[in-house]
Amino acid sequence: MCGIVGYTGPREAYPVVIKGLKRLEYRGYDSTGVALLNGTVKVYKKKGRVAELEEYAVGKELHAHTGIGHTRWATHGEPSDRNAHPHTSRSGKLAMIHNGIIENYVQLKKDLVNKGYHFTSDTDTEVLLNFIEDIKENNNCGLEEAIRIALKRVTGAYCILLINEDDPGTIIAARKGSPLVIGVGKGEHFLGSDASPMLEYTKEVVYVNDYELAIVKPDELILKNLGNEKITPFITKLDMDLAAIEMGGYDHFMLKEIFEQPSTIHDCLRGRLDATAGTITMSGVQNNIEAFKTAQRIIIVACGTSWHAGLVAEYVIEELCRIPVEVEYASEFRYRNPVINKGDIIIAISQSGETADTLVAIEKAKEQGAVIFGIVNAVGSSIARLSNGGAYTHAGPEIGVASTKAFTGQLAVLTMMALKIAKEKGTITDERYSKLLFELDSIPEKVEAILKGANAIKAIAEKYKGAADALFLGRGYNFPIALEGALKLKEISYIHAEGYPAAEMKHGPIALVTEILPVVFVATKDSYHEKIVSNIQEIKARKGKVIAIISEGDDVIPSLADDVFFVPPADEIMAPLLSCIPLQLLSYYVGIAKGVDVDKPRNLAKSVTVE
Ligand code: F6R
């Protein structure tokens, strides 16, 4: 949430910062701003997107070799020009951008107001910046020392970047809870919330850790802790190319990412799954195999779509490994006083690896001695680094705000893990193990086949785009997919949608059924097929409109449903990997038909780094 960019070096800073902000716009798009340092600090900021700032900046003084930029997801104060970052300090000499929330800003603000400070915005950021400047003036110390003192006194999360008129060429950065990557070039440095703003300039990056402060000059990077001790920066080589973060001919990132799934799932399985040899190689699982084999319980913590992947995993792990699984919303788990016993394993699932609630939930569980296993997409992210072991989903950068390919990557990793643990534990027969390995291996091909039918989904989307509400129903492995389908439709098309277990529908939601309510059944062939057919009959008896995602060869549901979409047959354990694809397409096409900016839907942002 909120994207931050910085540059210092021989290039013109403004174009580097603007390009970087465009890459990070998925993290928030309520307002945009830049601060440039060329003798004095100049700030240009605007409500709206980067393109609007660019228009506004035409003809302005933009020459500078040091600059910072921000794209905002509003927390404190409405989206507006005055609440946009960067903010400047009372003296006008300092400019700062911030990603996160300063929780004790009200008290800090009161103290500053009592000292005569006036604030021009409603933000916690302007308070923190002036708090820093106040310390600098009163303690007669340098900016670096003032930042250290201030950060010890604030609570909350932050990644901040500051420039100072009295120290040209230097950017000071610090983080706690919000991500920061520094790209190391020749005589230049780049800063970003992720590595995308620096990809074409350098492949060498430093992931800054919590409670670290970076003093960044064109030819020098000094890393320190808040105790002012130097830390040797650990340089990581980026394994990502520019094509991965570009649209590649598609109209939207979301569509590109949906269509990438045959290859992203393949990449996730590649080098791990060998169906012919009957092996699954996952070093993170192998290194913790005794813990998994003897686990008394697995607790999965995640948010949103990743939480839905956790729900699928609950069904799969309990079935194959016979280990009890609980799936927790990270935001609830972190504030409860959860019972964590010896022998419990916590699995954290996160695309971004930076979700604040998930991060803090596992920090707390780790403090209580739990083993943390991370299933993460963003390499080098905070959750990945905090975990005791883990497995990457290898879906590549996901830019569309709605998660699609990362979700199927999570499902693929979790299914592989469950199979591996079941085999090691002896809770699966050799025959079933082998069958499921081949089934998993064939998923990319089946997803490819589903995507060939995208136009059929587009036609269904056209038919139902005017709906005000929708219901998504599924049973067993497909129940979490019903939840996910409803979430996707809500966020991408703004249609109110609810997901339910199909049988639960008659305990309340059936009251909503009318002849205009679309009810989407996720009803691929499984052990409950006859039951879900009865649920479809119950909706039809009340004249609801039924859209059904079903398996090829199903000759019962087509005669009941108003619209059907066929997916290739698969073992029920693999069904979620297939049945989610038409639902992703459905939300995409409804969103497009309604004119929604599907890559950046209203009020949302990717990578939720505030709680
Ligand atoms: C929905 C979506 C969100 C995320 C959630 C968790 O399409 O993308 O619900 O799944 O914010 O994010 P991560 O997986 O990055 O922890």
Side-chain angles (χ1 to χ4, degrees):
M1 239 156 210
C2 297
I4 57 163
V5 184
Y7 174 76
T8 183
R11 296 171 205 263
E12 280 297 329
Y14 178 73
V16 174
V17 170
I18 286 288
K19 206 176 198 185
L21 287 177
K22 285 185 180 159
R23 302 238 172 101
L24 292 181
E25 220 176 8
Y26 68 87
R27 303 177 67 91
Y29 28 87
D30 288 331
S31 63
T32 319
V34 296
L36 302 168
L37 185 52
N38 180 23
T40 56
V41 170
K42 289 182 194 66
V43 172
Y44 306 110
K45 53 188 193 173
K46 266 282 174 250
K47 180 181 170 189
R49 303 199 172 178
V50 183
E52 286 162 70
L53 175 72
E54 272 183 299
E55 238 173 72
Y56 167 74
V58 172
K60 305 244 177 349
E61 176 52 62
L62 300 173
H63 169 65
H65 294 294
T66 304
I68 55 177
H70 186 266
T71 174
R72 176 172 188 244
W73 185 84
T75 58
H76 294 61
E78 56 168 14
S80 63
D81 291 354
R82 68 187 192 89
N83 285 331
H85 299 212
H87 292 281
T88 43
S89 62
R90 183 161 72 170
S91 72
K93 289 187 165 193
L94 306 179
M96 184 172 103
I97 53 177
H98 168 215
N99 169 19
I101 288 182
I102 304 303
E103 282 161 6
N104 57 339
Y105 88 105
V106 175
Q107 188 54 46
L108 297 176
K109 189 170 183 174
K110 245 189 220 160
D111 297 345
L112 291 170
V113 168
N114 287 341
K115 287 181 169 184
Y117 279 78
H118 295 285
F119 290 92
T120 57
S121 77
D122 307 317
T123 64
D124 49 346
T125 307
E126 193 186 7
V127 174
L128 176 58
L129 175 61
N130 281 292
F131 181 51
I132 291 170
E133 186 165 86
D134 192 62
I135 293 172
K136 182 173 174 288
E137 284 166 6
N138 288 329
N139 291 29
N140 203 15
C141 62
L143 178 60
E144 194 192 311
E145 180 60 11
I147 293 173
R148 254 194 303 275
I149 296 170
L151 294 183
K152 284 183 195 154
R153 290 182 46 195
V154 300
T155 53
Y158 54 80
C159 172
I160 52 171
L161 262 56
L162 283 100
I163 52 174
N164 177 5
E165 217 168 272
D166 293 337
D167 190 4
T170 302
I171 299 173
I172 302 187
R175 74 156 270 183
K176 184 203 151 200
S178 301
L180 175 61
V181 185
I182 300 178
V184 182
K186 288 199 170 58
E188 58 185 350
H189 284 101
F190 307 83
L191 299 95
S193 298
D194 69 28
S196 62
M198 53 204 78
L199 268 186
E200 62 260 67
Y201 311 110
T202 180
K203 290 273 190 269
E204 299 200 334
V205 299
V206 174
Y207 292 99
V208 178
N209 290 311
D210 276 352
Y211 305 107
E212 285 179 0
L213 195 103
I215 299 107
V216 190
K217 298 171 189 283
D219 46 13
E220 193 178 22
L221 166 61
I222 302 168
L223 216 53
K224 291 182 177 177
N225 61 21
L226 291 187
N228 200 20
E229 293 158 338
K230 280 197 179 175
I231 299 163
T232 310
F234 179 77
I235 293 182
T236 306
K237 274 249 180 284
L238 278 179
D239 181 21
M240 194 197 289
D241 58 21
L242 216 47
I245 56 163
E246 286 174 345
M247 216 116 71
Y250 285 89
D251 290 342
H252 299 94
F253 279 111
M254 183 178 176
L255 191 64
K256 176 189 176 220
E257 287 159 6
I258 291 173
F259 273 83
E260 273 176 346
Q261 290 175 107
S263 64
T264 52
I265 299 171
H266 176 75
D267 287 347
C268 176
L269 304 178
R270 192 169 42 147
R272 289 167 163 169
L273 175 73
D274 186 336
T276 312
T279 55
I280 292 173
T281 312
M282 296 179 89
S283 56
V285 181
Q286 192 59 48
N287 295 342
N288 292 284
I289 199 68
E290 281 315 310
F292 277 112
K293 276 166 71 179
T294 55
Q296 296 304 303
R297 188 171 59 147
I298 289 176
I299 303 170
I300 298 179
V301 291
C303 304
T305 290
S306 298
W307 185 80
H308 294 154
L311 279 187
V312 173
E314 178 181 22
Y315 282 80
V316 178
I317 295 172
E318 290 198 343
E319 166 71 21
L320 297 181
C321 312
R322 311 305 300 147
I323 303 171
V325 178
E326 284 168 27
V327 189
E328 300 268 3
Y329 285 115
S331 54
E332 289 299 316
F333 183 77
R334 63 180 283 194
Y335 285 113
R336 278 202 282 117
N337 187 8
V339 179
I340 297 169
N341 298 316
K342 202 166 173 288
D344 286 347
I345 295 182
I346 309 277
I347 298 182
I349 309 175
S350 176
Q351 185 288 124
S352 61
E354 301 293 348
T355 299
D357 285 320
T358 310
L359 189 57
V360 180
I362 62 172
E363 263 167 9
K364 291 206 166 154
K366 203 172 177 185
E367 277 162 22
Q368 291 185 51
V371 174
I372 312 291
F373 195 87
I375 295 179
V376 174
N377 192 40
V379 176
S381 55
S382 303
I383 294 174
R385 284 181 289 144
L386 193 74
S387 299
N388 301 98
Y392 281 119
T393 41
H394 296 310
E398 191 179 64
I399 316 267
V401 161
S403 189
T404 53
K405 63 175 182 172
F407 178 65
T408 45
Q410 291 164 348
L411 296 183
V413 163
L414 287 158
T415 309
M416 254 189 307
M417 273 177 68
L419 282 163
K420 182 170 176 64
I421 297 163
K423 175 76 175 153
E424 296 270 355
K425 228 185 137 188
T427 47
I428 189 169
T429 63
D430 289 347
E431 195 189 345
R432 180 134 174 77
Y433 174 75
S434 174
K435 177 179 178 285
L436 289 176
L437 255 51
F438 279 103
E439 285 260 358
L440 190 52
D441 206 29
S442 68
I443 292 293
E445 217 176 289
K446 291 180 180 174
V447 172
E448 185 95 60
I450 294 171
L451 291 170
K452 288 204 173 105
N455 277 338
I457 294 286
K458 196 173 179 180
I460 296 176
E462 276 297 323
K463 193 166 160 188
Y464 295 99
K465 67 182 180 198
D469 305 279
L471 211 51
F472 285 71
L473 303 174
R475 300 181 79 114
Y477 296 97
N478 275 326
F479 156 55
I481 300 307
L483 296 183
E484 174 60 8
L487 176 66
K488 283 285 96 87
L489 191 70
K490 263 187 282 222
E491 61 181 339
I492 298 304
S493 74
Y494 311 154
I495 292 175
H496 167 244
E498 304 257 8
Y500 266 94
E504 186 64 19
M505 170 261 302
K506 47 189 180 302
H507 299 285
I510 198 163
L512 298 171
V513 177
T514 63
E515 62 278 9
I516 57 163
L517 181 81
V519 183
V520 181
F521 275 91
V522 195
T524 51
K525 270 273 169 66
D526 54 24
S527 22
Y528 334 87
H529 196 249
E530 281 169 15
K531 304 278 176 209
I532 206 158
V533 169
S534 304
N535 300 138
I536 293 177
Q537 302 268 24
E538 287 153 11
I539 296 292
K540 281 320 292 174
R542 285 151 187 91
K543 300 198 167 37
K545 293 277 176 286
V546 170
I547 303 159
I549 309 300
I550 55 177
S551 304
E552 282 165 11
D554 186 329
D555 50 10
V556 178
I557 295 181
S559 62
L560 298 171
D562 296 86
D563 296 277
V564 292
F565 184 84
F566 291 98
V567 300
D571 189 283
E572 62 184 10
I573 284 186
M574 307 294 160
L577 276 155
L578 302 180
S579 52
C580 69
I581 310 286
L583 300 185
Q584 295 171 347
L585 287 167
L586 182 68
S587 65
Y588 172 80
Y589 287 123
V590 175
I592 293 297
K594 293 186 70 178
V596 173
D597 180 350
V598 293
D599 281 341
K600 299 188 188 77
R602 176 173 81 196
N603 301 338
L604 288 167
K606 211 162 179 74
S607 197
V608 185
T609 51
V610 296
E611 58 173 287

